[in-house]
């Protein structure tokens, strides 16, 4: 089981969290103006990174808040967690994400 | 290829079983092939076999990063069924189910296909309605499936607990009698051996590190850990690593890779006559011919490439199994492991051409690819050989996610996820 550092509550077991998929996918601000390819990509295409991956988590059985995390998908090790709306900490990734 | 038969077994037994050949050659890569399959699992080896056997392409290679049978083909719970809801899925999975029947004869390899029946349990009123809908849809598509009352379910599978007072009582079940299990390693080995006999080079420990394309953007060669190999046709059948391989050609896919765990118990005498699945409480169980209970869990919550998952996922599955089959409560588990499965948003596979000329992909089988091995390999070989999809896999494109023509087995909930 993973131990996840909630930016609001501190380290908690994975059981308290829900995984929310890839982070930093912005919904097009004017959906009517995007092409069908762009809309399909927004809905379905994912990086599925093998390596350092930016992803959303929600502390669903804790504070209930969403936050983002950088995790290495080849080791499952968390590199950093940070609040929603913030950019991923560049120092943690060497700018890889 | 040495033909396997009762006679050859007897003959070799007099010589102390010396003189059996390796089942496939240890091939070294040639500079160029007519077609290359990336990924030496059941789907990839099968595609190579059908390319050689049915389409006359024998100058082909299968590149495998690890060893044959070391990926999901050797890591799954071997359940075979075709009771999917939608017409497209029913055609694809039933095509495969029919091929299992004579696969051992076709490959001259005992894949131990055992159509012992697959029973899917209903625990809630919603389950009952959904599963009955599946039974009716299956029967319209000519797929065998029948509704059983709890008493009938217990008659078919005596260890099943049908008491009213368990947390998720059994309210009925769907039974596909033509479903069952097969020996997963034998499927990989059988396809590898049969493909090798037709001249296919099976190259293990060979990882693809780059995809070279010509001035028009078409595939011309693969960069690998064992050097540059030219080919104008490349079929990728790389399961959990498909996003990584196709990323080398700049193709993005609607895939996410999750760990899926399975475990086996200590071996015991034959007690469990069929396969039982419960999608609602995530328990999948059968008994292997060695006597082990083979148990499958749900996927872990997060994407990963680690081939391991969290213990609480297995514990959750075992709790369900102990309640459904109280006789197993004191059994010990021997081993558990994880495989990386590539999941599409609609839980249906992609068997299609990609936007890159000469590059084909067979992926997105998620948690249920083993059952489809022969059928998937067969239509993928067709797609590669003819540069157009077989009618059976024509709906399973990448573009369905752009066009909204999903084959939404995820919502249909017949599938394990």
């Amino acid at each position: 089981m993973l131990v996840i550092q909630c930016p609001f509550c501190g380290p908690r077991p994975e059981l308290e969290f829900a995984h929310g998929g890839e982070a930093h996918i912005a919904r097009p601000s004017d959906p009517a103006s995007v092409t069908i390819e762009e809309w399909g990509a927004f809905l379905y295409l994912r990086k599925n990174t093998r390596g350092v991956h930016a992803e959303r988590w929600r502390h669903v059985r804790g504070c209930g808040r969403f936050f983002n995390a950088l995790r290495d998908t080849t080791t499952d090790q968390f590199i950093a967690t940070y609040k929603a709306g913030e950019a991923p900490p560049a120092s943690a990734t060497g700018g890889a994400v | 290829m040495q033909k396997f038969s009762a006679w050859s077994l007897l003959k070799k037994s007099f010589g102390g079983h010396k003189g059996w050949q390796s089942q496939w050659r240890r091939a070294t890569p040639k500079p160029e092939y007519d077609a290359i399959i990336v990924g030496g699992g059941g789907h990839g080896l099968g595609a190579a076999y059908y390319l050689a056997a049915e389409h006359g392409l024998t100058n082909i290679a299968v590149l495998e990063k690890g060893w044959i049978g070391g990926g999901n083909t050797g890591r799954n719970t071997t359940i075979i069924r075709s009771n999917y809801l939608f017409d497209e899925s029913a055609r694809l999975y039933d095509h495969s189910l029919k091929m299992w029947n004579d696969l051992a004869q076709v490959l001259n390899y005992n894949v131990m296909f055992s159509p012992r029946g697959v029973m899917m349990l209903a625990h809630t009123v919603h389950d009952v309605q959904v599963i009955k809908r599946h039974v009716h849809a299956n029967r319209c598509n000519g797929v065998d499936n029948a509704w059983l009352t709890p008493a009938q379910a217990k008659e078919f599978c005596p260890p099943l607990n049908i008491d009213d007072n368990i947390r998720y009582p059994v309210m009925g079940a769907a039974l596909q009698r033509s479903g069952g299990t097969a020996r997963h390693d034998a499927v990989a080995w059988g396809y590898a051996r049969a493909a090798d006999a037709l001249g296919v080079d099976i190259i293990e420990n060979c990882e693809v590190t780059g995809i070279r394309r010509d001035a028009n953007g078409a595939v011309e060669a693969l960069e690998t850990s064992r050097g540059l190999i030219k080919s104008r046709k490349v079929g990728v059948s790389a399961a959990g690593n498909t996003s990584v391989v196709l990323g080398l050609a700049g193709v993005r896919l609607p895939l996410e890779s999750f760990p899926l765990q399975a475990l086996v118990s200590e071996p015991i005498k034959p007690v469990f006559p069929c396969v039982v699945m419960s999608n609602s409480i995530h328990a999948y169980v059968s008994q292997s011919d060695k006597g082990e209970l083979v148990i499958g869990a749900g996927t872990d919550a997060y994407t990963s490439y680690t081939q391991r998952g969290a213990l609480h996922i297995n514990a959750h599955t075992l709790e369900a199994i102990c309640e459904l089959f109280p006789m197993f409560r004191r059994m010990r588990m021997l081993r558990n492991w994880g495989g990386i499965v590539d999941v599409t948003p609609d839980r249906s596979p992609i068997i299609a051409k990609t936007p890159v000329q000469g590059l084909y992909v067979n992926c997105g089988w998620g948690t249920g690819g083993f059952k489809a091995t022969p059928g998937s390999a067969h239509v993928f070989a067709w797609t590669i050989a003819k540069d157009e999809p077989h009618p059976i896999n024509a709906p399973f494109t990448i573009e369905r996610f752009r066009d909204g023509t999903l084959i939404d087995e995820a919502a249909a909930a017949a599938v394990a996820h």
Side-chain angles (χ1 to χ4, degrees):
Chain A
M1 189 178 303
L2 307 178
V3 175
I4 302 175
Q5 184 82 26
C6 172
F8 308 99
C9 312
R12 297 295 176 91
E14 177 196 335
L15 282 177
E16 295 186 8
F17 296 86
H19 185 254
E22 187 179 323
H24 308 298
I25 298 174
R27 190 175 194 274
S29 52
D30 180 14
S33 68
V34 300
T35 63
I36 188 170
E37 282 79 15
E38 286 166 339
W39 188 250
F42 158 69
L43 285 179
Y44 297 122
L45 297 189
R46 295 294 176 264
K47 287 182 188 155
N48 199 18
T49 312
R50 186 187 170 107
V52 178
H53 183 234
E55 61 193 9
R56 298 194 307 165
W57 286 85
R58 186 178 176 214
H59 194 183
V60 65
R61 290 176 187 85
C63 62
R65 290 209 256 184
F66 279 95
F67 60 93
N68 294 331
L70 294 177
R71 183 175 54 91
D72 187 336
T73 59
T74 62
T75 61
D76 288 342
Q77 191 168 16
F78 281 87
I79 293 158
T81 54
Y82 51 99
K83 292 175 183 171
E86 292 178 358
S91 58
T93 65
V97 175
Chain B
M1 180 172 89
Q2 284 176 324
K3 192 106 175 137
F4 291 153
S5 65
W7 170 242
S8 70
L9 189 65
L10 187 69
K11 212 166 87 179
K12 286 281 191 299
S13 73
F14 285 114
H17 283 296
K18 290 170 187 157
W20 290 109
Q21 296 168 353
S22 301
Q23 299 195 9
W24 58 88
R25 293 166 291 128
R26 196 166 287 270
T28 44
K30 287 191 243 171
E32 183 162 6
Y33 289 97
D34 294 338
I36 294 177
I37 304 289
V38 179
H43 292 242
L45 293 164
Y49 168 74
Y50 293 113
L51 276 172
E54 298 196 352
H55 303 284
L57 277 164
T58 52
N59 181 32
I60 58 181
V62 177
L63 309 185
E64 166 56 46
K65 169 174 83 162
W67 66 96
I68 296 304
N72 292 351
T73 303
R75 289 166 182 266
N76 67 83
T77 53
T78 77
I79 298 172
I80 295 166
R81 61 186 178 89
S82 64
N83 51 355
Y84 285 74
L85 181 67
F86 292 109
D87 297 354
E88 296 88 342
S89 316
R91 278 196 289 275
L92 176 62
Y93 289 100
D94 215 41
H95 177 56
S96 195
L97 186 69
K98 292 198 171 84
M99 292 180 75
W100 280 107
N101 286 311
D102 64 349
L103 191 63
Q105 285 74 33
V106 169
L107 299 180
N108 180 233
Y109 206 99
N110 186 4
V111 297
M112 296 166 77
F113 174 55
S114 162
R116 58 184 70 176
V118 174
M119 201 160 76
M120 296 174 98
L121 302 179
H123 302 279
T124 62
V125 172
H126 177 253
D127 279 356
V128 171
Q129 291 168 345
V130 168
I131 289 181
K132 281 188 173 171
R133 183 182 173 212
H134 274 76
V135 170
H136 297 315
N138 290 156
R139 292 167 72 125
C140 288
N141 277 318
V143 174
D144 122 67
N145 204 359
W147 173 256
L148 304 184
T149 63
Q152 288 169 323
K154 185 163 177 71
E155 196 184 339
F156 191 75
C157 181
L160 182 65
N161 180 6
I162 54 168
D163 279 357
D164 297 338
N165 61 355
I166 61 174
R167 176 67 184 84
Y168 295 102
V170 175
M171 297 178 72
L175 173 63
Q176 183 172 27
R177 290 176 194 273
S178 56
T181 60
R183 172 81 199 276
H184 50 3
D185 297 316
V187 176
W189 297 336
Y191 272 123
R193 173 171 167 271
D196 176 84
L198 295 171
V200 175
D201 281 354
I202 292 162
I203 302 162
E204 295 171 82
N205 300 308
C206 182
E207 183 174 358
V208 173
T209 54
I211 298 177
R212 284 207 193 160
R213 295 159 67 180
D214 65 14
N216 300 321
V219 171
E220 60 174 5
L222 293 179
E223 294 163 15
T224 77
S225 57
R226 298 181 64 176
L228 188 76
I229 310 174
K230 286 188 192 165
S231 182
R232 307 295 297 186
K233 283 182 185 243
V234 173
V236 177
S237 204
N241 282 295
T242 305
S243 298
V244 178
V245 176
L246 285 202
L248 299 171
V251 177
R252 291 183 74 201
L253 289 169
L255 291 178
E256 289 189 296
S257 296
F258 290 91
L260 178 67
Q261 297 183 80
L263 58 161
V264 292
S265 72
E266 58 192 337
I268 51 170
K269 285 183 179 178
V271 291
F272 203 76
C274 60
V275 181
V276 173
M277 308 177 53
S278 171
N279 290 329
S280 295
I281 53 179
H282 277 309
Y284 313 93
V285 61
S286 64
Q287 188 175 17
S288 74
D289 292 346
K290 278 192 288 184
E292 303 154 328
L293 293 184
V294 182
I295 296 168
T299 55
D300 275 71
Y302 46 84
T303 59
S304 178
Y305 288 85
T306 55
Q307 293 189 314
R308 61 173 182 262
L311 197 59
H312 67 90
I313 303 283
N314 293 326
H316 175 72
T317 290
L318 290 173
E319 282 163 13
I321 284 175
C322 288
E323 188 158 86
L324 289 173
F325 309 103
M327 65 193 266
F328 295 145
R329 278 187 181 157
R330 295 175 65 190
M331 277 186 78
R332 285 164 295 193
M333 295 297 137
L334 277 189
R335 294 181 286 123
N336 79 313
W337 62 91
I340 301 303
V341 299
D342 44 327
V343 178
T344 57
D346 64 359
R347 264 66 175 182
S348 286
I350 296 167
I351 316 168
K353 298 165 71 167
T354 69
V356 175
Q357 176 68 36
L359 187 63
Y360 308 85
V361 69
N362 183 2
C363 67
W365 288 96
T367 58
F370 178 76
K371 65 175 80 71
T373 304
S376 148
H378 182 250
V379 296
F380 191 41
W382 173 296
T383 307
I384 295 170
K386 299 189 187 293
D387 195 35
E388 63 178 26
H390 187 282
I392 288 176
N393 68 308
F396 294 88
T397 59
I398 304 173
E399 290 76 24
R400 73 177 189 266
F401 295 98
R402 177 196 65 197
D403 300 337
T405 50
L406 305 187
I407 304 161
D408 206 349
E409 293 291 347
V415 287
H417 51 77

